[in-house]
Structures are given as structure tokens and as C-alpha cells.
């Protein structure tokens, strides 16, 4: 049996932290997993920046609620879920993703957790597991699933390597060039064709 594993931000939804940057005017929040390879390092930077500027979890949740999914993402997800089980493997947080997952009709999401420490006036995050995307794909393959995967950032490359078939979707050219073993796709129609050929 086949399974599809997808990243969320950049593949199905906009980058959450870019929207937070735009709404707060804090240019330091520009960095994403397309820029920083170590996710923990990136999140530590974000926590410090938010603490410095007084950005709370409620603030971030309010900004996220303004976002919509990418054009065509819901239709693609409906198509994909008729073919096979679909897992969203993301380095976002359940406390962030709720409104966007609802707009995708509640696919299965595996991600991390975050809270706000009122006494310390800062965000506190908990990673489910290091390289959790890769570990999820490996677990599915150990159950004899054939896994296809698509993502757009450095934090997706371990997941892509672990899959039976994998492609970048709307990845920056710099990342696509660094990992030429993965096809670089840009439209949902291309991703559909890739999945039809490989699942």
C-alpha cells in the first residue's frame, strides 16, 4: 500500500513566520527553514526575537488565523486522499496549525508543541523528536508502506532521502541545486503526475 507524506508550509500553506514578520514589522523573523539548516537553532532565534519584542502565542495565533492555504492546495489534498493515506509532516506546532489544517479538511498532521510562559514572558517549544519527519517516513516504511514525499526546505531533505520516491515542491533554486537527486516541481499538476508515476 502507498502513503504520501507532505510538508505543510511552502507546500500547502504560506510560511507562517513570514506573515508574523509582516504583521509585526520585525524583519528579524525573515529566516525560515529555507535559510537555516538546524531547526532547533532557528526556533531558538525566533523565541529570543519574540521575547525581545513582546510577541506572545496569542499574537501569533491571531495572525495565523488571517492566512489562507495556497491556491489549489485544498483541491490537491482532496485528490491525493482519494488515492492513498496522506500525512502532513511539519516542523510547525499544533497550536499554530489549527486554522490552516481546518481549511485543508483536517488531514493527519504530525508536528510539535509550543506554549507561552507568562512568568518568563517567552515562548516555550517542545520538539516531538529530532528529525521527526525522517523518523515518521522510516516508521511507515517499516510497516511495508511505499512512501512518496514532497517538501521545499532543508528540514525536508532527510524525509525525502528516507522515502521511496521524493520531490521538491516550490523549493528555492539554491536548495534544489544543492540536492539534484530530487526532481524540482512547481505546480500541483506536476506533483499529481509525479505521484501517478511513482505510487
Amino acid at each position: 500500500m502507498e502513503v504520501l507524506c507532505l510538508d505543510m508550509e511552502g507546500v500547502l500553506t504560506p510560511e507562517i513566520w513570514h506573515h508574523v514578520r509582516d504583521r509585526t514589522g520585525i524583519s528579524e523573523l525573515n529566516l525560515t527553514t529555507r535559510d537555516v539548516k538546524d531547526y532547533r537553532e532557528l526556533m531558538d532565534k525566533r523565541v529570543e526575537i519574540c521575547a525581545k519584542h513582546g510577541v506572545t502565542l496569542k499574537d501569533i495565533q491571531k495572525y495565523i488565523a488571517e492566512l489562507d492555504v495556497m491556491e489549489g492546495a485544498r483541491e490537491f489534498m482532496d485528490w491525493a486522499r482519494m488515492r492513498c493515506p496522506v500525512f502532513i509532516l511539519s516542523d510547525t506546532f499544533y497550536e499554530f496549525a489549527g486554522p490552516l489544517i481546518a481549511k485543508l479538511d483536517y488531514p493527519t498532521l504530525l508536528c510539535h508543541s509550543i506554549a507561552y510562559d507568562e512568568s518568563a514572558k517567552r515562548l516555550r517549544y517542545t520538539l516531538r523528536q529530532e528529525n521527526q519527519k525522517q523518523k515518521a517516513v522510516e516508521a511507515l516504511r517499516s510497516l511495508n508502506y511505499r512512501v512518496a514525499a514532497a517538501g521545499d526546505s532543508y528540514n525536508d531533505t532527510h524525509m525525502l532521502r528516507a522515502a521511496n520516491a521524493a520531490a521538491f515542491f516550490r523549493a528555492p533554486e539554491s536548495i534544489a541545486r544543492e540536492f539534484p537527486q530530487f526532481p524540482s516541481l512547481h505546480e500541483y499538476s506536476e506533483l499529481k503526475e509525479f505521484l501517478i508515476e511513482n505510487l
Side-chain angles (χ1 to χ4, degrees), residues 75-124:
E75 292 78 9
F76 170 77
M77 284 295 295
D78 289 345
W79 174 88
R81 287 191 291 181
M82 288 193 300
R83 295 184 63 84
C84 66
V86 179
F87 293 90
I88 308 302
L89 305 183
S90 176
D91 278 327
T92 191
F93 304 93
Y94 288 115
E95 295 78 9
F96 286 3
L100 295 168
I101 290 298
K103 291 174 182 177
L104 293 169
D105 196 24
Y106 300 99
T108 300
L109 170 67
L110 305 179
C111 64
H112 309 297
S113 298
I114 196 165
Y116 189 73
D117 186 333
E118 289 287 353
S119 60
K121 302 297 181 188
R122 64 193 297 112
L123 296 163
R124 303 280 188 198

Side-chain angles (χ1 to χ4, degrees), residues 8-57:
M8 188 181 87
E9 294 176 72
V11 174
L12 299 168
T13 74
E15 292 284 350
I16 286 171
W17 287 97
H18 279 175
H19 186 64
V20 176
R21 172 203 64 195
D22 294 342
R23 292 290 279 111
T24 60
I26 303 170
S27 60
E28 298 162 282
L29 291 175
N30 190 54
L31 295 177
T32 70
T33 52
R34 292 179 168 197
D35 309 295
V36 180
K37 294 183 179 181
D38 186 312
Y39 184 68
R40 192 180 291 277
E41 175 187 342
L42 176 62
M43 274 308 304
D44 288 344
K45 288 179 187 290
R46 289 168 169 168
V47 167
E48 291 303 323
I49 292 165
C50 288
K52 173 183 170 185
H53 292 275
V55 178
T56 68
L57 177 57

Side-chain angles (χ1 to χ4, degrees), residues 143-169:
L143 295 170
N144 293 322
Y145 287 101
R146 177 175 173 80
V147 180
D152 73 317
S153 298
Y154 281 118
N155 67 326
D156 295 312
T157 56
H158 296 292
M159 169 180 76
L160 300 184
R161 285 194 187 106
N164 297 98
F168 281 123
F169 187 74

